[in-house]
Amino acid sequence: MKVDGKNIRPIFLDKDGKTIKIIDQRKLPHEFIITDLKTVDDAITAIKDMYVRGAPLIGVTSAYAVYLAAKNAPSELIELDYMVKECDRIKAARPTAVNLVWAVDRVLEKVRERSSLDSIVEITLKEAGIIAEEEAENCRKIGEHGLDLIGHISNEKKGQTVNVLTHCNAGWLACIEYGTATAPIYTAFDSGIDIHVWVDETRPLNQGARLTAWELGKHGIRHTVIADNTGGHLMQHGMVDIVIVGTDRTTHTGDVANKIGTYLKALAARDNHIPFYVALPSSTFDWKLKNGINEIPIEKRDPDEIMYVQGKYNDKTVEVLVPPIDSPAANYAFDVTPSRLVTGFITERGICGASEKEIRKLFPEK
Ligand code: MRU
């Protein structure tokens, strides 16, 4: 996508074809910083400390982390055992986004299948690049399929503004290109549909206020940042036509783990008869787990993310303390929306209902 007229992705290879570069998302929107990932530990830190975040991007970063493991191996003769151990370290970086394990296993599989003459460094670099391109293309297709939904609402409203509500950042910053939840929004906007987005600020780290608002603004899309508790009120007053969110892991039975607060939006949407869609590439489906509420691991993060809020003051990015310093805080990063509250999934293969049967119809090979 474009930032100030220049094409950029949240992770990319430098001109030398070897160096991994990322947008450091921690300081956005007030500072735009590009940084290098030189080692596996750099990549693990970038995932853990959220320089990069969002399920598809975590997947691509972890794939490149496998390449960095190979590139920096202690000896030129890279042992499979060494690769497996490094992959285990990468997979432990964050627990909820299933793309992480999926991408690492996929690159590792290529290493296992290699013939003795193949270079592990080259194999891992190539596979990570393929995953990045596939995810970009998947998101483009999600945009095309989601356009049907938004176009339909626009027709029903006779061309009046379509109001979409989204939670967190499931934009191109989280997904290489287009985003998942934002892909239908970008596609609809680009095809001339009058669209406006309600952007949940998404406490505690404010991915909505900081990242989604920034992305949409750069693309010229009308949007309004709202406090996380506002959606229900807007829905009661006919100010939301559709909710579209992303997901970090969705079971093949249709339960959706996404940023904390998503479940409450789904409840409000159901109460107000508003369609609630989840946009995801197939890499975010968990084909093993059945019961999302009991089985999806929910990350608990540092309570300081609740205690302190980041913003701009006197041209500097600063953090300020909100509650009394000695009040305990609990930071659950995700929640699970049960399939019964989900109207449907927007995937690269099309749209389906939130049931195992419907999902498997789209992905029979799984
Ligand atoms: O904790 P984060 O920022 O990695 O959260 C993940 C997300 O970006 C969201 O939950 C998003 O809605 C789904 S990932 C495209």
Side-chain angles (χ1 to χ4, degrees), residues 13-210:
L13 270 184
D14 204 2
K15 284 186 205 99
D16 64 6
K18 289 180 194 158
T19 312
I20 313 300
K21 295 198 167 277
I22 55 162
I23 300 175
D24 179 351
Q25 301 187 21
R26 294 171 304 163
K27 296 281 172 75
L28 279 172
H30 306 301
E31 293 174 49
F32 187 81
I33 299 167
I34 305 276
T35 190
D36 288 359
L37 300 182
K38 295 195 173 105
T39 64
V40 193
D41 287 298
D42 286 351
I44 291 174
T45 303
I47 294 170
K48 262 195 179 136
D49 294 348
M50 290 166 78
Y51 300 42
V52 291
R53 20 76 41 212
L57 177 58
I58 288 175
V60 173
T61 308
S62 61
Y64 278 120
V66 183
Y67 153 69
L68 291 172
K71 193 179 169 199
N72 298 307
S75 102
E76 257 183 46
L77 248 168
I78 303 173
E79 305 275 350
L80 182 61
D81 216 35
Y82 160 82
M83 290 303 294
V84 171
K85 281 192 186 128
E86 289 298 87
C87 285
D88 284 346
R89 285 202 310 127
I90 301 163
K91 286 195 253 184
R94 282 187 81 186
T96 304
V98 73
N99 302 56
L100 199 164
V101 171
W102 169 84
V104 171
D105 282 345
R106 183 167 146 174
V107 181
L108 188 58
E109 197 48 39
K110 289 285 167 195
V111 174
R112 287 187 203 277
E113 286 168 359
R114 80 194 183 285
S115 78
S116 54
L117 291 177
D118 289 337
S119 144
I120 294 185
V121 177
E122 278 169 25
I123 290 174
T124 50
L125 180 61
K126 185 173 166 207
E127 192 60 15
I130 293 173
I131 293 175
E133 292 311 319
E134 278 179 14
E135 290 300 55
E137 179 58 9
N138 286 341
C139 287
R140 192 189 64 73
K141 289 180 179 158
I142 288 171
E144 275 184 0
H145 296 301
L147 173 63
D148 293 344
L149 287 175
I150 296 177
H152 181 72
I153 296 170
S154 170
N155 287 341
E156 286 209 320
K157 291 186 80 176
K158 301 202 175 10
Q160 275 177 22
T161 309
V162 177
N163 286 296
V164 183
L165 184 141
T166 192
H167 189 72
C168 196
N169 172 261
W172 66 263
L173 280 168
C175 307
I176 315 298
E177 298 272 12
Y178 313 104
T180 52
T182 55
I185 295 169
Y186 286 126
T187 315
F189 175 82
D190 290 346
S191 58
I193 291 175
D194 184 355
I195 195 161
H196 165 263
V197 185
W198 296 109
V199 177
D200 279 355
E201 59 179 350
T202 321
R203 281 282 288 141
L205 289 180
N206 288 320
Q207 288 95 328
R210 294 191 303 110

Side-chain angles (χ1 to χ4, degrees), residues 226-245:
I226 48 175
D228 284 335
N229 306 324
T230 312
H233 169 77
L234 298 177
M235 291 184 208
Q236 283 175 329
H237 291 271
M239 294 161 83
V240 178
D241 296 303
I242 183 170
V243 180
I244 310 179
V245 297

